[in-house]
Amino acid sequence: MPALQSHPATRGKARSASDFWVVSVKGRQSDPRFRRSAFNDLVGRVMSSPGVALFDAVEVGVPTYLVDVIAGATGLAASSVMDMIGVSATTFRRKDGAGDPLPDVAGHRVMGFLRIAATLRRLLEESGDPAQLRDFDLDAWLAQWMREELPELGGKTPAEMLRNHEGLRAVEQVLGRMRGGLPA
């Protein structure tokens, strides 16, 4: 797997579509905190970027190393992340080995996952309770919640709903109704 790229000027907002996926964190890639920090940096970037920047970032291609970033941050196995974004292990290995980005559909699903994480972070920040924000493990909760069958989604999981834009919209609507507080 290629090393995660680092660029000191990219913390927060990305300067261009090609910079969007470049993560800037201190530490080593093998350190679990590195992946969590990279994930949090990307979620922050999604929160602070206009829709056109998110569109452009997906258009330039989503790097394969984001599978490991998401897995490391959420505690999911890389194979579970690949299942969630709809990329087979064979396709992943081929793309990763060639240094190519994820297939378009998988890239859109990665962005959808990041948008869901950004919405959840925003909900926590709007809760007005700094202790809740400090003590809440958003990444672990997100990983669990993405695999729960929800009645609001017709018994489907939020991860299943990432398959298309309408599913993502339905998940975002569920999150909108959660504004009163996150379930434990």
Side-chain angles (χ1 to χ4, degrees):
M1 176 146 309
L4 295 175
Q5 299 171 337
S6 180
H7 192 287
T10 60
R11 179 67 93 195
K13 261 189 173 175
R15 293 178 295 154
S16 71
S18 59
D19 284 344
F20 189 90
W21 303 112
V22 178
V23 293
S24 173
V25 292
K26 293 180 182 174
R28 298 178 338 173
Q29 184 177 347
S30 60
D31 184 344
R33 293 173 295 179
F34 182 88
R35 288 188 178 98
R36 187 165 233 169
S37 181
F39 181 75
N40 288 325
D41 187 36
L42 287 168
V43 170
R45 199 170 296 161
V46 168
M47 290 174 69
S48 66
S49 298
V52 69
L54 303 180
F55 172 86
D56 290 344
V58 173
E59 287 294 302
V60 299
V62 176
T64 56
Y65 63 74
L66 287 184
V67 168
D68 274 348
V69 168
I70 292 170
T74 61
L76 293 170
S79 60
S80 294
V81 174
M82 286 187 271
D83 287 344
M84 182 176 60
I85 64 171
V87 65
S88 70
T90 303
T91 298
F92 177 82
R93 281 192 302 275
R94 184 172 36 83
K95 294 283 189 180
D96 189 51
D100 292 338
L102 291 168
D104 287 345
V105 129
H108 288 282
R109 291 174 183 167
V110 166
M111 181 58 79
F113 185 83
L114 292 172
R115 283 180 49 194
I116 290 168
T119 300
L120 286 168
R121 183 186 292 174
R122 196 172 290 117
L123 287 172
L124 274 177
E125 289 173 356
E126 292 171 357
S127 75
D129 184 355
Q132 181 183 11
L133 182 59
R134 184 182 57 251
D135 298 335
F136 188 75
D137 187 350
L138 174 64
D139 305 336
W141 187 88
L142 175 64
Q144 178 185 341
W145 186 76
M146 290 296 289
R147 296 184 309 240
E148 287 182 20
E149 294 177 355
L150 301 177
E152 302 95 326
L153 299 175
K156 294 178 181 64
T157 68
E160 289 175 285
M161 299 298 284
L162 289 178
R163 290 185 188 147
N164 66 50
H165 297 292
E166 294 308 316
L168 177 59
R169 185 174 307 170
V171 171
E172 289 174 333
Q173 288 170 346
V174 168
L175 293 173
R177 290 191 294 269
M178 292 171 61
R179 284 207 185 278
L182 289 173

